[in-house]
């Protein structure tokens, strides 16, 4: 018997959460629920899912931050927003955060089920075509999936998960200042609050890895009073 496809559903309206869960289960899905963003991130770390459905306005951590955090760790799982935030700006923001679909409330249940089925199918195809998740800085290449940095001479420097996630966030937002608050939300998930010094130390480490002259950085910059910026004019 084929294993049931798994969906993570994050929604803080209890009646809606239960109604959607029931209907998805009737379609043959196994549904794990969360009623706030922090729980959604915890559940995502604990299990493997074929689709994530997110409300935007949730307690603890909002859906946009949840999506962005998931995308730093997993670029394949389909993400769908199901939300009352219905302006074009909201939709654009949701898609920029890595969502594959955006359905506004109130919604038609049949349409929701059709979209869910399409996203799950697309995600299964994507598993066969996993993207080669790498990025080149100068003569060095980061491999995000294996947490490795390949140096010019072919030697390998192992990266920690936090280093990889912070690199990915800065690279995805390249040539933009990223605030310390956003780094804390997406890389540290509110679990622990490292001091600013901790993030500074990560940036110093990146300079040692990538900068020809770490004292005069061309890639990794600290923006006083704001946060940090990765600059790359080659991409």
């Amino acid at each position: 018997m084929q294993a049931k496809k798994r969906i993570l559903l994050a929604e803080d309206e209890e009646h809606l959460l239960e109604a959607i869960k029931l209907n998805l289960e009737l379609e043959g899905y196994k549904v794990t629920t969360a009623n706030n963003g922090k729980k959604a991130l915890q559940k995502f770390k604990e299990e493997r899912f074929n689709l994530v459905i997110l409300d935007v306005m949730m307690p603890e951590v909002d859906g946009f931050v949840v999506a962005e955090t998931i995308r730093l760790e997993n670029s394949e799982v389909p993400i769908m927003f199901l939300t009352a935030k219905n302006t074009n700006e909201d939709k654009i923001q949701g898609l920029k955060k890595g969502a594959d679909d955006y359905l506004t409330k109130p919604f038609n249940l049949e349409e929701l089920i059709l979209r869910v089925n399409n996203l799950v199918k697309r995600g299964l195809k994507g598993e066969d075509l996993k993207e080669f998740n790498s990025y080149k800085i100068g003569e060095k290449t980061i491999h995000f999936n294996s947490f490795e940095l390949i140096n010019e001479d072919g030697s390998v420097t192992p990266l920690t998960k936090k280093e990889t996630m912070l690199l990915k966030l800065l690279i995805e937002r390249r040539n933009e200042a990223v605030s310390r608050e956003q780094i804390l939300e997406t890389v540290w998930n509110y679990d622990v609050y490292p001091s600013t010094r901790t993030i500074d130390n990560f940036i110093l480490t990146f300079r040692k890895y990538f900068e020809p002259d770490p004292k005069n950085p061309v890639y990794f910059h600290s923006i006083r009073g704001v946060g940090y910026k990765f600059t790359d004019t080659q991409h």
Side-chain angles (χ1 to χ4, degrees), residues 9-11 20 51-58 61-71 78-85 90-105 107 112 115-116 119:
L9 172 63
E11 165 65 63
I20 297 170
L51 173 65
V52 178
I53 302 175
L54 298 171
D55 186 15
V56 173
M57 295 180 285
M58 291 189 290
V61 184
D62 77 39
F64 288 147
V65 172
V66 173
E68 193 169 25
T69 306
I70 286 173
R71 277 288 171 256
I79 296 175
M80 176 185 193
F81 280 115
L82 188 61
T83 173
K85 288 177 78 71
D90 291 325
K91 289 178 186 175
I92 289 164
Q93 190 179 359
L95 296 170
K96 276 185 174 174
K97 298 296 185 190
D100 301 274
D101 203 351
Y102 195 107
L103 184 60
T104 55
K105 300 173 186 173
F107 57 88
L112 171 66
R115 289 187 185 217
V116 164
L119 286 171

Side-chain angles (χ1 to χ4, degrees), residues 111-155:
E111 182 184 0
L112 171 66
I113 299 295
L114 280 170
R115 289 187 185 217
V116 164
N117 292 341
N118 287 338
L119 286 171
V120 170
K121 273 186 210 156
R122 200 191 306 168
L124 292 172
K125 280 182 196 160
E127 284 184 2
D128 301 329
L129 303 163
K130 283 216 191 282
E131 64 180 285
F132 188 62
N133 214 342
S134 63
Y135 190 90
K136 195 166 185 183
I137 300 178
E139 296 304 311
K140 301 186 178 191
T141 304
I142 306 158
H143 289 281
F144 296 112
N145 292 336
S146 58
F147 307 119
E148 290 177 330
L149 173 63
I150 311 299
N151 299 301
E152 302 97 316
D153 60 2
S155 63

Side-chain angles (χ1 to χ4, degrees), residues 8 40-41 44-45 49 52-54 63-79 97 165 168 186 189:
L8 174 59
L41 286 169
F44 187 81
K45 285 179 177 176
F49 295 99
V52 178
I53 302 175
L54 298 171
F64 288 147
V65 172
V66 173
E68 193 169 25
T69 306
I70 286 173
R71 277 288 171 256
L72 291 180
E73 298 194 38
N74 185 314
S75 54
E76 284 95 21
V77 65
I79 296 175
K97 298 296 185 190
M165 287 176 73
K168 196 168 189 186
T186 50
N189 288 344

Side-chain angles (χ1 to χ4, degrees), residues 35-53:
N35 60 7
N36 68 54
K38 191 169 184 180
K39 280 184 190 167
L41 286 169
Q42 286 167 350
K43 296 270 173 79
F44 187 81
K45 285 179 177 176
E46 291 163 6
E47 300 177 46
R48 192 176 159 277
F49 295 99
N50 300 98
L51 173 65
V52 178
I53 302 175

Side-chain angles (χ1 to χ4, degrees), residues 1 40 62 111 176 210 219 235:
M1 188 178 160
D62 77 39
E111 182 184 0
E176 288 177 38
F210 299 104
Y219 297 116
H235 286 74

